[in-house]
């Protein structure tokens, strides 16, 4: 049976469907039409990014980024193990070893103090993941990268419209990757973007995105025929997706406000439980402007986490957890990693719960989630006192 309060629900905020109709009647629904260009230009302007190329997913953008960094078999890339599988697959698929580094206990972001210890003479890049839309410690990461001549690819899948020291996430490393998957803040079903902050990578990125051809230059009248000039794939999204996305991006401030309200409601009502030491809530460092991508709880143990999820499910509420740390997954083990290698990642991933969080979440439903979390945790506390 479907839960009464789902974990996520795709939403429409404005003119998304109207713009899809416009794209269809306008006679162009393949890639790089009016809406695809409008989405990219809006983000270049708003987030001060040299060049934004829309892609069919963040996974595709990460793959492009790995190609653009000239990674070769045997190279290593530093990244967290506490992330979505695409961060690691982008490099593993071309024979590159993900060098997993533990996370910070406060933000669950890559622990910048552990990066230098993981650098070897094969290290080529660092991939910070901005977990929950909260920026990694980018000043430190950029300084380490500069010192060791490494590229920085930001996995900003969860970081669209968030910033670190006033700079948009995705605009700081040489490359950044966004997601517009239906579970993210701004959505179009499946979608993404590659942010290029290193101007020397723009021409090649356009070629890789157009199946390895110089088609973009041909359309701009810069060459008189287009042909096969490099490796590449089909990394151009449908104009239909971009039309939907444009309807969301033009309302980005309104959508951001709504998410902030939802976050603050949880924060306000669950803070007393944190004060009692029953649960830990998310932290946002002063240098970071969050986009309020998610609200999570850290329970005292794996057992408590499983019990809370079961309790909420029984009440018709779908809360979820993630990620299975990549270093303990089957492929991570093939790379030689073992349980126990990254203690903070292993501990926190066992105890984390994500609460329902979506644009159309009503205050009444949200209150119900809060009430059920409170009921579960206070009952547990009472039992503990009695024991
Ligand atoms: C969602 C997500 C991705 C993948 O995004 P897609 O657009 O679904 O390919 C990659 N990395 C992180 C951290 C994510 O949260």
């Amino acid at each position: 049976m479907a839960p009464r309060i789902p974990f996520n629900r795709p939403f429409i905020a404005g003119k998304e469907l109207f713009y899809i109709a416009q794209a269809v009647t306008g006679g162009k629904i393949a890639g790089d039409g009016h809406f695809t260009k409008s989405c990219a230009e809006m983000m270049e302007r708003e987030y001060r990014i040299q060049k934004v190329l829309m892609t069919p997913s963040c996974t595709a953008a990460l793959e492009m980024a790995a190609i653009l960094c000239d990674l070769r078999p045997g190279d290593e890339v530093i990244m967290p193990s506490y992330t979505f599988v695409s961060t690691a697959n982008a490099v593993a698929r071309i024979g590159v070893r993900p060098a997993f580094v533990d996370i910070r206990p406060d933000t669950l972001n890559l622990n910048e103090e552990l990066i230098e210890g993981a650098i070897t003479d094969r290290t080529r890049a660092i991939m910070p993941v901005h977990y929950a839309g909260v920026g990694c410690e980018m000043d430190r990461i950029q300084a380490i990268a500069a010192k060791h001549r490494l590229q920085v690819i930001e996995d900003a899948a969860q970081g669209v419209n968030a910033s670190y020291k006033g700079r948009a996430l995705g605009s700081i490393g040489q490359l950044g990757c966004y997601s517009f998957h239906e579970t993210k803040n701004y959505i179009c079903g499946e979608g993404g973007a590659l942010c290029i902050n290193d101007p020397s990578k723009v021409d090649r990125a356009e070629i890789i995105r157009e199946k390895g051809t110089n088609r973009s230059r041909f359309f701009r009248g810069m060459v008189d025929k287009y042909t096969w000039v490099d490796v590449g794939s089909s990394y151009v999204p449908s104009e239909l997706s971009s039309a939907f996305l444009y309807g969301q991006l033009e309302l980005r401030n309104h959508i951001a406000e709504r998410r902030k309200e939802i976050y603050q409601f949880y924060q306000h009502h669950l803070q007393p439980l944190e004060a009692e030491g029953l649960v830990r809530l998310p932290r946002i460092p002063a240098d970071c402007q969050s986009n309020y991508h998610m609200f999570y709880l850290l329970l005292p143990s794996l057992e408590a986490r499983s019990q809370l999820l079961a309790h909420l499910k029984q009440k018709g509420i779908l809360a979820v957890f993630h990620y299975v740390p990549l270093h303990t997954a089957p492929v991570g083990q093939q790379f030689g990693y073992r349980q126990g290698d990254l203690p903070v990642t292993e501990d926190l991933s066992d105890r984390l719960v994500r609460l329902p969080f979506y644009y159309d979440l009503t205050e009444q439903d949200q209150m119900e989630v809060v009430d059920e979390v409170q009921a579960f945790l206070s009952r547990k506390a009472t039992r503990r006192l009695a024991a």
Side-chain angles (χ1 to χ4, degrees), residues 263-291:
Y263 185 97
Q264 290 183 337
F265 186 97
Y266 276 137
Q267 175 75 30
H268 175 76
H269 289 280
L270 296 171
Q271 208 279 324
L273 295 172
E274 181 171 52
E276 282 181 65
L278 298 173
V279 70
R280 215 204 80 193
L281 306 185
R283 303 261 194 279
I284 303 175
D287 285 335
C288 298
Q289 178 62 56
S290 177
N291 62 4

Side-chain angles (χ1 to χ4, degrees), residues 116-158:
E116 283 198 292
I119 294 177
T120 72
D121 55 6
R122 318 208 77 166
T123 308
R124 297 287 173 266
I126 308 173
M127 291 175 86
V129 177
H130 303 299
Y131 183 66
V134 174
C136 294
E137 192 42 59
M138 290 308 292
D139 277 354
R140 181 90 177 97
I141 291 172
Q142 291 286 96
I144 294 168
K147 180 175 157 198
H148 298 272
R149 296 173 165 274
L150 307 176
Q151 310 265 340
V152 174
I153 303 169
E154 297 175 71
D155 182 340
Q158 304 176 13

